[in-house]
């Protein structure tokens, strides 16, 4: 088997960015803490912490998660964007133009789904590629340090990505007995 390196993307295009955002949204829906959800089931905005930085997860505080919200989101993305159909399609026989046209449909539908069920805001308000300093006590769950991380805060670096956080989640309620594992029912035309 040989690998054609000229076909490997060297930069993020819109499709890769979309897939990254969707993966992050699925991750957030799976690891969302109950304390971050109000009585209406909506996520509360994260509060700034001035406490020293500690590991986000320790073995003694791990909790089980349930897949319902992630499966519901996949179902909504399939419904509005045909996301699962696109991901499972063998794209090797299609031209880049055809793939781009399909990606546009998936992007528009995914954007509609995300906007309809989530309110998102950037974690950092500075412009990307700007220099900033993170003082001691910054929230390590909201900022990931990359590169040559040595020593302790304050850290000065370049903002590569502003990050995203969900400030509100409005997933529809599930009816009792609804099987969330059915992401898209089979269709039979008569």
């Amino acid at each position: 088997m040989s690998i054609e390196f000229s076909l490997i993307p060297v930069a993020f295009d819109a499709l890769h960015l979309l897939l990254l955002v969707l993966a992050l949204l699925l991750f957030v829906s799976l690891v969302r803490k109950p304390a971050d959800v109000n009585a209406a089931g909506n996520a509360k905005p994260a509060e700034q912490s001035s406490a020293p930085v500690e590991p986000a997860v320790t073995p003694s505080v791990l909790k089980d998660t349930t897949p319902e919200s992630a499966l519901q989101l996949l179902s909504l993305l399939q419904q509005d964007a045909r996301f699962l159909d696109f991901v499972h399609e063998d794209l090797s026989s299609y031209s880049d133009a055809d793939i781009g046209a399909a990606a546009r449909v998936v992007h528009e539908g995914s954007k509609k789904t995300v906007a309809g069920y989530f309110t998102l805001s950037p974690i950092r308000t500075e412009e990307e590629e700007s220099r900033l300093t993170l003082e001691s006590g910054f929230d390590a769950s909201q900022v990931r340090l990359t590169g040559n991380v040595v020593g302790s805060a304050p850290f000065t670096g370049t903002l590569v990505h502003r990050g995203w956080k969900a400030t509100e989640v409005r997933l529809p309620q599930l009816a009792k007995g609804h099987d969330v594992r059915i992401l898209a029912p089979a269709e039979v035309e008569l």
Side-chain angles (χ1 to χ4, degrees), residues 7 20 30 36 39 61 66 68 74 93 107 129 134 145 156 158 161 167 178:
L7 297 178
L20 176 64
L30 286 174
D36 293 341
V61 295
T66 58
E68 282 82 9
L74 274 177
S93 64
H107 176 264
E129 301 302 319
L134 299 170
L145 300 176
T156 300
T158 302
H161 187 272
T167 57
H178 175 74

Side-chain angles (χ1 to χ4, degrees), residues 96-180:
D96 289 347
D98 290 338
I99 295 170
R104 185 173 306 281
V105 172
V106 173
H107 176 264
E108 290 171 2
S110 298
K111 184 175 181 178
K112 174 186 168 193
T113 299
V114 170
Y117 298 106
F118 300 92
T119 301
L120 305 177
S121 65
I123 291 174
R124 301 296 303 200
T125 57
E126 301 89 349
E127 290 295 319
E128 290 182 356
E129 301 302 319
S130 65
R131 299 285 290 169
L132 59 89
T133 299
L134 299 170
E135 300 297 334
S136 180
F138 73 94
D139 187 346
S141 69
Q142 293 191 30
V143 178
R144 177 179 35 218
L145 300 176
T146 61
N148 187 18
V149 181
V150 179
S152 57
F155 296 108
T156 300
T158 302
L159 182 63
V160 177
H161 187 272
R162 295 176 4 165
W164 292 105
K165 63 182 172 184
T167 57
E168 187 178 1
V169 178
R170 300 175 298 276
L171 290 174
Q173 292 183 335
L174 296 172
K176 288 187 186 222
H178 175 74
D179 188 351
V180 293

